[in-house]
Amino acid sequence: MVVNTRVNIAGVVFVNPVIAASGTYGFGREYSDYVDLNKIGGISVKGLTLQPRLGNDTPRIAETPSGILNSVGLQNPGVDAFIRDEIPYLKQFDTKIIANIAGNTVSDYIEMAEKLDCTGIDILEVNVSCPNVKKGCLAFGTTMSGVAEVTKAVRKATKKPIMIKLTPNVSDIASIALSAEAEGADAVSLINTITGMVIDVNTRRPVLANNTGGLSGPAVRPVAVRMVHEVYKSVSIPVVGMGGICSAEDAIQFILAGASAIMVGTWNFNNPRACSDVAEGIKSYMEENSISDVSKLTGELIMNGD
Amino acid sequence: MVVNTRVNIAGVVFVNPVIAASGTYGFGREYSDYVDLNKIGGISVKGLTLQPRLGNDTPRIAETPSGILNSVGLQNPGVDAFIRDEIPYLKQFDTKIIANIAGNTVSDYIEMAEKLDCTGIDILEVNVSCPNVKKGCLAFGTTMSGVAEVTKAVRKATKKPIMIKLTPNVSDIASIALSAEAEGADAVSLINTITGMVIDVNTRRPVLANNTGGLSGPAVRPVAVRMVHEVYKSVSIPVVGMGGICSAEDAIQFILAGASAIMVGTWNFNNPRACSDVAEGIKSYMEENSISDVSKLTGELIMNGD
Amino acid sequence: MNLNALVISNEILCKNNMLMRLFVPDIAAKAKPGQFLNIICSSDNKLILRRPISIMDADAEKGCVDIGYEIRGEGTMLLAEQKKGAKIDVMGPLGNGFCIDDNFSNIAIVGGGIGIYPLYFLAKSLGECNIDVFMGYQCAGKVILEDEFKTEGCNVYLSTDDGSRGHSGFITELFSKTYKPGRYDMIFVCGPEIMSRKVVLMVRSNGERSQVSLEERMGCGIGACLVCSCEVKTAEGIGRKTVCKDGPVFNGDIVFPEVD
Amino acid sequence: MNLNALVISNEILCKNNMLMRLFVPDIAAKAKPGQFLNIICSSDNKLILRRPISIMDADAEKGCVDIGYEIRGEGTMLLAEQKKGAKIDVMGPLGNGFCIDDNFSNIAIVGGGIGIYPLYFLAKSLGECNIDVFMGYQCAGKVILEDEFKTEGCNVYLSTDDGSRGHSGFITELFSKTYKPGRYDMIFVCGPEIMSRKVVLMVRSNGERSQVSLEERMGCGIGACLVCSCEVKTAEGIGRKTVCKDGPVFNGDIVFPEVD
Ligand SMILES: Cc1cc2nc3c(=O)[nH]c(=O)nc-3n(C[C@H](O)[C@H](O)[C@H](O)COP(=O)(O)OP(=O)(O)OC[C@H]3O[C@@H](n4cnc5c(N)ncnc54)[C@H](O)[C@@H]3O)c2cc1C
Ligand SMILES: Cc1cc2nc3c(=O)[nH]c(=O)nc-3n(C[C@H](O)[C@H](O)[C@H](O)COP(=O)(O)OP(=O)(O)OC[C@H]3O[C@@H](n4cnc5c(N)ncnc54)[C@H](O)[C@@H]3O)c2cc1C
Ligand SMILES: Cc1cc2nc3c(=O)[nH]c(=O)nc-3n(C[C@H](O)[C@H](O)[C@H](O)COP(=O)(O)O)c2cc1C
Ligand SMILES: Cc1cc2nc3c(=O)[nH]c(=O)nc-3n(C[C@H](O)[C@H](O)[C@H](O)COP(=O)(O)O)c2cc1C
Ligand code: FES
Ligand code: FES
């Protein structure tokens, strides 16, 4: 059976619904020895800031049961270097380019959006959910008004499709998503990491130099699937789902719950071919289950008791 | 070295800081073949409601990476049956009795608190955090005003020490804890489960009959440790920590983060002796590290960069 | 971990099905038909929950317990990888087993798929009865314990869903052809819910007695967490009991309460 | 999982230390001293992160790579349990190794503990140099590769923290006694940070060259996640490089930038 794995998000057509998650895939080139970048739908690049950032002290990672905690703290070469050095490289491939931006202030977001507006990127992912920086970012993402403010400002600053990346560290993620939609977001992506801490009982100190970090990986998957479903039910813009995806089966959970596309993050560290393996696996699932179009699976969850 | 494992929470002295978590230990008697109930600090009994409840449909449990999702939905014989049938049994042991109550309405909480006031229980644990019932409970737990309202009402209704059990499904757990403290809570316990969902991609239905359930077990531990620390820094009443504790080392993470006592839940299913094993392990850790009094460890976390 | 059970053997029984013999004298001494073990399948605790598996046979003298199981998911797959000589963590015997009455003389046993495993220990324990065993399988390749039941002197009736052995169709069809009120003193049932329900209701509609072993996903396995609830008739209407502790074997009169 | 490496042997080298030989021809053909493998230690993926372990030796003809490792935590413990014949998932060779110059004639190698493993492959690759190897261990029981370095014609200087073998104290003491500006063309360093820092700064303060292999916790191992950053001197002041891709071996002139 011929199956169509293409998905259209805010007018951008991805060859398949698998996108590499921001912060785990560098600028794509690092994985090019392992994955044919033409074979994955998109790449969300490392979170960018207006100025280059050195990030937090090390250690920046800890392994937890079925998860990891990271506190990279947005180390990146800055948006200008990204435009200069990375976009031309990525443009060689079919994969779509998602620029992930994180600001300390609303004007940071505006300035970055303006700089990226006339570049070759496909979607702007507005990160209001990084738990590892002291100022801005997550502070915006935990309230409806903060998300609305950033979304509105970025919406004005660019003609590119914008996707707001939401934090799970909230009581009601569906309302937060609604406030992004109301201010003109073309899509939302979720979940970013859940704030966590691991303590070394011998030194009596947190393992991470930054004390806390963001939890990701399979451990968070049930939480992420639930949140994707809540957001899907409340908004009418596309939802990009992530959190602990390791396999096609995991990806399909998110798609059934309402995701139009999914992202793979942490699992790239375990399996550098994770993104293309998941894409292949989705195709096989479609073939086995006679699903002609992957977008027909989105939201096809059947609730019990209905 | 002689070590003192006793802890005092709101005037109640526990032989050690290990308490069986509500909903995982029945009414204690179920575990008496495996554990000498005199050897564990306390037992928080299955969440009680005013009327007997049958709970949700089955399946009520799903295994997730390093965690489980449950949707028991507060099946219990009701508070009257508890008072009649279970308190006399538990009173034979040194272990302290914590009655965990969950209401649909504020008056449910009041009525249960009144009924339990003149019984042999030691602490009333006010559950405003069960994600598996349609009405009440978690609805109170996610706002400061809801928690304040329930705490205030229960405070008036009983002279027993009250401990408010908090949900992690919130943006700012420290503020929620503060509102409990402000209304007279003697302690807080956290975390209850994080709402999650697992989907069977073959049936396209959630695995749990109730669709969503509460995530617990090692997967949530880093989140729980972080939250215990946040709450500890903000309130001055004792904090009882839980979430994924399997070993003495895990327990000590919580104690260093600020817990005066800890609870073991999910891990009892894996190891029916978990509570007493953790208590033993804490004692060994104290001996090895020459810690004379376990309460001296509470909050002894050293932050990096300070 | 409490590595109290020694794997004596762990061999393929038929497609996807394994027979494991454990040396675990404490449990062997106490085991009764219908009871189960609750097993840690992964040696590194990758899986949190234990897996309930019925006791298929127990030899108190040798200190051995046999279990038969089908590989269904990650847990049973890891169990299948356990080698002779390995030590595993087993709780048991758990639950309430079948009630056996010395006055039984004519007995029917109806089992489907993995539900057949615990029925073997039952048949062995029934003594001098006349036993008709009705066993339903998916296909010929999954027929298990046929000879073993025959060796115990049982009359074996066989069906397969695909007709590759015995009667073609469901075992309930074969049973209903043979069953007549008054013919059996007790009917023991274990298998997929749809099968058990059919047999129990048929028997119950004739005012006769049955005992049925139920399955439910479990947390604690010892009656503490109420994860494994099943509905039963009570004096007040419909109540709930735990499959792990009140069951897994229940009197056919009280289960499937919603139907009458 | 990409089970590309076959375990040929996995044996105890000394207390808590193991030597594993892998058949992994692709990697063996490319490996350079100072590069490392990134290994999935648990066969059931219980651990998410790979563990970085240096290449201790590589034989392109036989297709074999050797690694030496100390059991420190769960990952290395699981690795130690891998049996001959097992297949494991290994990425490599990763990172930038040591730079070897054909003109080298006098070389010092300073290693501490597990840092000594990669230095063996280095020593073997240095050709006809005169090599002084300074190796520090916790105690006599943990002395590794002494004979192997001697067989390669190196002059071995040994110390143990507790004085149970060789010089009593830190290897930096032994090195600083021997070291004189001009004596070595290059000084190679790998070990605990405190040791590396001391040696590198000593050498640097004399305006001489060193190469040092650093350790940092890793995520991806290939330069994508920036988890393994270390500080280095750059034209603009202090910058960061990745230990996994820019390193693990760095020029001694740029590391530990905060000190000058
Ligand atoms: C009282 C009792 C006795 C049983 N006896 C046998 C037996 O003798 N032989 C045999 O092959 N099987 C038996 N089963 C079924 C067996 O428990 C499941 O096949 C097994 O738990 C599947 O685990 P898994 O990890 O391989 O599958 P998965 O589907 O990956 O398991 C996921 C989760 O669901 C639970 N689960 C899945 N299927 C069942 C089920 N049918 N019943 C209960 N929990 C389930 C698992 O325990 C686990 O927690 C029995 C079940 C019960 C309740
Ligand atoms: C480039 C490089 C080369 C190395 N070469 C060797 C070698 O040849 N032989 C050897 O014995 N060891 C070597 N190490 C150290 C080795 O990686 C750690 O001892 C190992 O990761 C510990 O894993 P664990 O699960 O046993 O310990 P745990 O402490 O349980 O590990 C927890 C986490 O911390 C990480 N971690 C712990 N210690 C280190 C460390 N020192 N460096 C980096 N990550 C760490 C682990 O990878 C894991 O993610 C090297 C490290 C690096 C960075
Ligand atoms: C090391 C690391 C760095 C990350 N950096 C970013 C980032 O810069 N911007 C961002 O929006 N998300 C970042 N994330 C979050 C991921 O994009 C993703 O939302 C999260 O990890 C959940 O997906 P996963 O479980 O598949 O990893 C990072 C995650 C990790 C593990
Ligand atoms: C099966 C099950 C039932 C539970 N029932 C209750 C309950 O009735 N009342 C309550 O306050 N918490 C209940 N909890 C939450 C636990 O008490 C505990 O807060 C949570 O599981 C986190 O701890 P753990 O990771 O050690 O299990 C339940 C948890 C489980 C797994
Ligand atoms: S599994 Fe816990 S009560 Fe049955
Ligand atoms: S470990 Fe990812 S950049 Fe080095």
Side-chain angles (χ1 to χ4, degrees):
Chain A
M1 161 169 207
V2 185
V3 298
N4 177 23
T5 59
R6 283 197 172 66
V7 294
N8 179 326
I9 294 175
V12 178
V13 178
F14 295 74
V15 297
N16 61 49
V18 181
I19 304 168
S22 177
T24 66
Y25 224 67
F27 297 104
R29 62 169 94 223
E30 295 83 355
Y31 276 93
S32 58
D33 286 350
Y34 298 91
V35 170
D36 176 353
L37 299 183
N38 293 308
K39 296 270 169 68
I40 62 174
I43 294 172
S44 175
V45 301
K46 176 66 204 170
L48 302 166
T49 51
L50 200 51
Q51 303 300 329
R53 273 180 68 99
L54 292 180
N56 293 320
D57 283 348
T58 59
R60 293 177 174 184
I61 198 167
E63 185 149 9
T64 71
S66 298
I68 62 170
L69 223 50
N70 92 81
S71 58
V72 170
L74 291 176
Q75 178 176 349
N76 80 97
V79 69
D80 293 328
F82 167 68
I83 294 170
R84 187 184 63 230
D85 303 335
E86 305 297 343
I87 296 181
Y89 174 79
L90 281 171
K91 270 298 175 190
Q92 306 170 73
F93 303 97
D94 292 338
T95 196
K96 296 299 165 188
I97 310 173
I98 301 179
N100 181 285
I101 58 169
N104 292 334
T105 61
V106 174
S107 70
D108 281 3
Y109 284 105
I110 295 174
E111 216 171 314
M112 284 190 277
E114 285 169 350
K115 283 179 186 243
L116 289 160
D117 192 39
C118 48
T119 67
I121 66 154
D122 296 289
I123 294 186
L124 199 63
E125 186 174 43
V126 184
N127 179 352
V128 287
S129 44
C130 179
N132 295 322
V133 289
K134 293 219 166 55
K135 282 191 295 181
C137 212
L138 184 58
F140 293 112
T142 51
T143 62
M144 290 177 68
S145 57
V147 169
E149 190 188 356
V150 175
T151 309
K152 190 172 180 176
V154 174
R155 176 69 296 166
K156 270 203 201 142
T158 183
K159 288 172 302 296
K160 297 277 184 196
I162 62 174
M163 174 156 86
I164 313 298
K165 181 145 178 197
L166 306 178
T167 174
N169 296 296
V170 294
S171 314
D172 180 4
I173 198 164
S175 306
I176 305 261
L178 273 174
S179 67
E181 181 179 35
E183 295 298 342
D186 299 291
V188 288
S189 55
L190 63 147
I191 61 173
N192 209 318
T193 55
I194 311 181
T195 311
M197 180 159 75
V198 176
I199 297 169
D200 181 330
V201 301
N202 297 313
T203 64
R204 298 193 186 172
R205 289 175 173 276
V207 170
L208 299 177
N210 189 49
N211 297 315
T212 58
L215 184 66
S216 63
V220 308
R221 197 193 306 137
V223 178
V225 170
R226 184 262 298 179
M227 287 186 165
V228 164
H229 187 241
E230 283 177 1
V231 169
Y232 172 73
K233 284 188 300 179
S234 83
V235 301
S236 38
I237 50 178
V239 179
V240 175
M242 80 197 88
I245 295 177
C246 311
S247 66
E249 194 182 314
D250 298 342
I252 289 161
Q253 284 198 52
F254 282 82
I255 294 172
L256 291 170
S260 297
I262 57 91
M263 294 192 181
V264 178
T266 302
W267 211 251
N268 293 308
F269 302 168
N270 181 283
N271 172 12
R273 291 181 191 84
C275 285
S276 52
D277 284 359
V278 170
E280 271 304 308
I282 291 175
K283 200 162 162 242
S284 309
Y285 174 91
M286 290 172 67
E287 284 159 358
E288 281 157 26
N289 293 276
S290 306
I291 294 154
S292 58
D293 194 332
V294 70
S295 61
K296 289 205 182 119
L297 274 179
T298 296
E300 284 300 290
L301 178 67
I302 309 164
M303 298 298 276
N304 294 315
D306 281 1
Chain B
M1 158 168 211
V2 184
V3 299
N4 177 22
T5 59
R6 283 195 174 66
V7 294
N8 180 327
I9 293 175
V12 179
V13 178
F14 295 74
V15 295
N16 61 48
V18 181
I19 303 169
S22 177
T24 66
Y25 223 68
F27 297 105
R29 62 169 94 220
E30 294 83 354
Y31 276 92
S32 58
D33 286 350
Y34 298 90
V35 170
D36 176 353
L37 300 183
N38 292 308
K39 295 270 168 70
I40 63 175
I43 294 172
S44 175
V45 301
K46 175 66 203 171
L48 302 165
T49 51
L50 200 51
Q51 303 300 328
R53 273 180 67 99
L54 292 180
N56 293 320
D57 283 346
T58 57
R60 293 178 173 182
I61 198 167
E63 184 148 9
T64 71
S66 297
I68 61 169
L69 222 51
N70 91 82
S71 58
V72 170
L74 291 176
Q75 178 176 349
N76 80 94
V79 69
D80 293 329
F82 167 69
I83 294 171
R84 187 185 62 230
D85 303 334
E86 304 297 344
I87 296 181
Y89 173 80
L90 281 170
K91 270 297 176 194
Q92 304 169 73
F93 303 96
D94 292 339
T95 195
K96 296 299 166 188
I97 309 172
I98 301 180
N100 180 284
I101 58 170
N104 293 332
T105 62
V106 174
S107 69
D108 280 2
Y109 284 104
I110 295 174
E111 217 172 312
M112 285 189 277
E114 284 169 350
K115 283 180 187 240
L116 289 159
D117 192 39
C118 48
T119 67
I121 68 154
D122 296 289
I123 293 187
L124 199 61
E125 186 174 41
V126 183
N127 178 353
V128 287
S129 45
C130 178
N132 294 322
V133 289
K134 293 218 165 53
K135 282 191 295 182
C137 210
L138 184 58
F140 294 111
T142 51
T143 63
M144 291 178 67
S145 57
V147 170
E149 190 188 354
V150 174
T151 309
K152 190 173 182 177
V154 175
R155 177 69 296 163
K156 268 202 201 143
T158 182
K159 290 174 301 296
K160 298 276 183 197
I162 63 176
M163 174 156 85
I164 314 298
K165 180 143 178 199
L166 306 177
T167 174
N169 297 295
V170 294
S171 314
D172 180 4
I173 198 165
S175 306
I176 304 261
L178 273 174
S179 67
E181 181 178 36
E183 295 298 343
D186 299 290
V188 286
S189 55
L190 62 145
I191 61 175
N192 208 318
T193 56
I194 311 182
T195 311
M197 180 159 74
V198 177
I199 296 169
D200 180 330
V201 301
N202 296 312
T203 63
R204 299 195 187 170
R205 289 176 173 277
V207 170
L208 299 177
N210 191 49
N211 297 315
T212 59
L215 184 66
S216 62
V220 308
R221 197 193 307 137
V223 178
V225 169
R226 183 262 298 179
M227 287 185 164
V228 163
H229 187 241
E230 282 178 2
V231 168
Y232 172 73
K233 283 187 301 179
S234 84
V235 299
S236 38
I237 50 179
V239 179
V240 175
M242 79 197 89
I245 296 177
C246 312
S247 66
E249 195 182 313
D250 298 341
I252 288 159
Q253 282 197 53
F254 281 83
I255 294 172
L256 291 169
S260 297
I262 57 91
M263 293 193 182
V264 178
T266 302
W267 211 251
N268 294 307
F269 302 167
N270 182 283
N271 172 11
R273 291 181 192 84
C275 285
S276 52
D277 284 359
V278 170
E280 270 304 308
I282 291 174
K283 200 163 163 241
S284 308
Y285 174 90
M286 291 172 66
E287 284 159 359
E288 280 156 26
N289 293 277
S290 307
I291 294 152
S292 58
D293 194 331
V294 70
S295 61
K296 290 206 182 120
L297 274 179
T298 295
E300 284 300 291
L301 179 66
I302 309 164
M303 297 300 273
N304 294 315
D306 281 359
Chain C
M1 288 215 275
N2 174 28
L3 303 173
N4 59 332
L6 177 73
V7 178
I8 294 183
S9 61
N10 191 19
E11 282 155 18
I12 296 174
L13 200 59
C14 71
K15 197 182 164 211
N16 276 331
N17 277 250
M18 305 286 292
L19 176 66
M20 182 183 266
R21 175 159 295 176
L22 293 168
F23 180 69
V24 55
D26 288 4
I27 296 177
K30 284 184 276 180
K32 277 182 255 150
Q35 289 187 306
F36 66 97
L37 305 180
N38 215 0
I39 305 177
I40 299 278
C41 297
S42 56
S43 46
D44 64 359
N45 256 334
K46 194 198 172 196
L47 297 176
I48 293 175
L49 295 176
R50 292 167 181 268
R51 301 301 190 251
I53 305 283
S54 300
I55 297 172
M56 190 190 103
D57 202 357
D59 184 330
E61 261 171 54
K62 294 201 179 126
C64 289
V65 169
D66 288 351
I67 55 174
Y69 59 97
E70 181 160 66
I71 300 174
R72 292 239 173 126
E74 201 172 356
T76 45
M77 175 66 88
L78 288 165
L79 197 60
E81 286 168 11
Q82 298 283 356
K83 299 264 180 314
K84 177 181 167 167
K87 289 197 167 173
I88 63 177
D89 179 337
V90 165
M91 287 170 74
L94 300 180
N96 273 314
F98 295 102
C99 283
I100 298 177
D101 189 322
D102 286 344
N103 299 323
F104 286 161
S105 55
N106 284 298
I107 295 294
I109 291 180
V110 188
I114 57 168
I116 293 166
Y117 290 117
L119 297 172
Y120 176 63
F121 191 16
L122 170 69
K124 279 186 70 173
S125 308
L126 277 171
E128 296 298 286
C129 298
N130 177 44
I131 309 177
D132 291 348
V133 184
F134 299 85
M135 308 198 283
Y137 305 91
Q138 275 173 3
C139 58
K142 289 205 165 181
V143 172
I144 44 162
L145 302 181
E146 184 186 359
D147 294 342
E148 286 81 352
F149 276 104
K150 285 183 178 158
T151 308
E152 294 303 318
C154 303
N155 313 309
V156 170
Y157 297 78
L158 249 170
S159 77
T160 52
D161 300 352
D162 67 356
S164 50
R165 268 294 302 281
H167 171 78
S168 171
F170 297 129
I171 192 66
T172 46
E173 296 158 11
L174 211 54
F175 173 70
S176 63
K177 275 191 210 156
T178 315
Y179 167 67
K180 281 188 193 63
R183 180 158 186 169
Y184 300 115
D185 303 317
M186 180 61 76
I187 293 145
F188 294 100
V189 190
C190 186
E193 192 189 312
I194 184 163
M195 182 210 87
S196 297
R197 181 185 292 267
K198 210 151 187 171
V199 175
V200 166
L201 295 185
M202 191 189 310
V203 172
R204 188 155 94 199
S205 68
N206 290 311
E208 297 206 303
R209 295 193 303 159
S210 65
Q211 292 179 35
V212 57
S213 180
L214 300 182
E215 267 183 33
E216 199 50 77
R217 290 192 177 218
M218 294 184 180
C220 67
I222 57 172
C225 71
L226 307 185
V227 153
C228 67
S229 271
C230 67
E231 295 195 330
V232 292
K233 290 193 219 175
T234 62
E236 299 89 39
I238 291 182
R240 286 196 187 256
K241 287 198 175 285
T242 59
V243 168
C244 69
K245 193 165 182 224
D246 301 321
V249 179
F250 291 95
N251 189 320
D253 294 342
I254 65 161
V255 295
F256 312 128
E258 72 292 359
V259 280
D260 349 50
Chain D
M1 288 216 275
N2 174 28
L3 303 173
N4 59 331
L6 176 74
V7 178
I8 295 182
S9 61
N10 192 18
E11 281 156 15
I12 296 173
L13 201 59
C14 72
K15 195 182 168 212
N16 276 332
N17 278 249
M18 306 286 292
L19 176 66
M20 182 184 267
R21 174 159 295 177
L22 293 168
F23 179 70
V24 57
D26 289 4
I27 296 177
K30 287 185 273 181
K32 278 182 250 145
Q35 289 187 304
F36 66 96
L37 305 180
N38 216 1
I39 306 179
I40 299 276
C41 297
S42 56
S43 45
D44 64 358
N45 256 332
K46 194 197 172 196
L47 297 176
I48 293 176
L49 295 177
R50 291 167 182 269
R51 301 301 192 251
I53 304 285
S54 300
I55 296 171
M56 188 189 105
D57 202 357
D59 184 330
E61 262 169 54
K62 293 200 180 129
C64 290
V65 169
D66 288 350
I67 55 174
Y69 59 95
E70 182 159 67
I71 300 174
R72 292 237 172 128
E74 202 173 355
T76 45
M77 175 66 87
L78 287 166
L79 197 61
E81 287 169 9
Q82 297 284 356
K83 299 263 178 319
K84 177 181 167 168
K87 290 199 166 170
I88 63 176
D89 179 338
V90 165
M91 286 169 75
L94 300 181
N96 273 314
F98 295 102
C99 283
I100 298 177
D101 189 321
D102 286 346
N103 299 325
F104 286 161
S105 54
N106 284 299
I107 295 295
I109 291 178
V110 190
I114 57 169
I116 292 167
Y117 289 118
L119 299 171
Y120 176 63
F121 190 17
L122 171 70
K124 278 186 69 173
S125 308
L126 277 170
E128 296 298 287
C129 298
N130 178 41
I131 308 176
D132 289 349
V133 184
F134 299 84
M135 308 198 282
Y137 305 91
Q138 275 173 1
C139 57
K142 288 206 167 182
V143 172
I144 45 164
L145 302 180
E146 183 185 0
D147 294 341
E148 286 81 353
F149 276 103
K150 285 184 177 156
T151 308
E152 294 303 316
C154 304
N155 312 308
V156 170
Y157 298 77
L158 251 170
S159 76
T160 52
D161 299 352
D162 66 356
S164 49
R165 267 293 301 281
H167 171 79
S168 172
F170 297 127
I171 193 65
T172 45
E173 297 158 10
L174 210 51
F175 173 72
S176 63
K177 274 191 210 156
T178 313
Y179 168 67
K180 282 189 191 61
R183 179 157 188 170
Y184 300 114
D185 304 315
M186 181 61 76
I187 292 144
F188 295 100
V189 191
C190 186
E193 193 189 311
I194 184 162
M195 181 208 90
S196 297
R197 181 184 292 268
K198 211 153 187 168
V199 176
V200 166
L201 296 184
M202 192 189 309
V203 172
R204 187 155 94 199
S205 68
N206 289 312
E208 297 207 303
R209 295 192 304 160
S210 64
Q211 293 178 35
V212 58
S213 181
L214 300 183
E215 267 184 35
E216 198 51 76
R217 292 191 176 217
M218 293 184 180
C220 67
I222 57 173
C225 70
L226 306 183
V227 154
C228 66
S229 272
C230 67
E231 295 195 329
V232 292
K233 290 195 219 174
T234 63
E236 298 89 40
I238 290 182
R240 287 196 187 257
K241 288 200 175 283
T242 59
V243 168
C244 68
K245 193 166 182 223
D246 302 320
V249 179
F250 291 95
N251 189 322
D253 293 343
I254 66 163
V255 296
F256 312 128
E258 72 292 358
V259 280
D260 343 53

